Amino acid sequence: MTVEPVKPTVNAGKLWAGGGATAAVAALIAIAGILLGRGIFDVDVLAPKGEGAWGDASTGWYALGAAGAALLATGLVHVLILTTPRPMRFFGWVVGLATVSAMLAPFVTDASRASQFYTAGLNMIIGIAIGSLVAGTARAATRLVRSTPPAPRPYPQQYR
């Protein structure tokens, strides 16, 4: 039994469509999380209380940043699939460490503890959503194909 070499091929359209959908989900999670924190729990998330439930421009920038992170993750997984062995394992590590970094970032500010913990939790939810959705999309958009074409069959005896 011979083992034929295979290589992954990516359906880029499907991958990036999923990445775009993930960007929309991440942005909506950010907006919903900020509204929940400011409006219901009365926690300062990215802006002082005086800015109201919608906050200032930081709400939009936060949502845009979440969407950008999703698109960046899509680009990363695309490159990893085409260039590395075990791409999903590397992707998991990168997204996991980026999420932990995003969770720790609020603690270097002088915001209240409630704001720091709420923002860290929101960052964790966004990171988990991005990681799981992009990974699932990448698996669905990737196929293994033979890297060498099959050997040609010989002509039948009557055509020689």
Side-chain angles (χ1 to χ4, degrees):
M1 180 174 180
T2 61
V3 177
E4 296 180 14
V6 293
K7 67 176 184 170
T9 60
V10 179
N11 181 336
K14 184 184 268 190
L15 177 65
W16 284 97
T22 301
V25 168
L28 289 171
I29 290 171
I31 292 169
I34 290 171
L35 288 173
L36 181 71
R38 289 183 186 159
I40 294 176
F41 295 123
D42 200 28
V43 175
D44 295 340
V45 182
L46 306 174
K49 286 182 188 175
E51 299 293 340
W54 280 103
D56 58 2
S58 63
T59 302
W61 285 110
Y62 194 73
L64 190 61
L71 294 175
L72 184 66
T74 304
L76 172 67
V77 80
H78 196 167
V79 169
L80 289 173
I81 289 169
L82 296 176
T83 61
T84 62
R86 309 289 302 240
M88 298 314 293
R89 181 161 293 173
F90 286 105
F91 179 73
W93 271 96
V94 170
V95 170
L97 291 170
T99 301
V100 168
S101 298
M103 290 173 62
L104 293 175
F107 295 101
V108 299
T109 66
D110 59 350
S112 68
R113 281 287 180 211
S115 179
Q116 290 173 337
F117 278 104
Y118 188 86
T119 305
L122 182 56
N123 289 345
M124 179 183 74
I125 292 168
I126 291 170
I128 290 170
I130 290 172
S132 63
L133 291 172
V134 171
T137 299
R139 284 188 195 98
T142 304
R143 299 283 179 253
L144 294 177
V145 296
R146 282 186 260 181
S147 60
T148 56
R153 296 185 308 171
Y155 288 112
Q157 187 69 5
Q158 64 206 24
Y159 295 112
R160 289 188 203 174

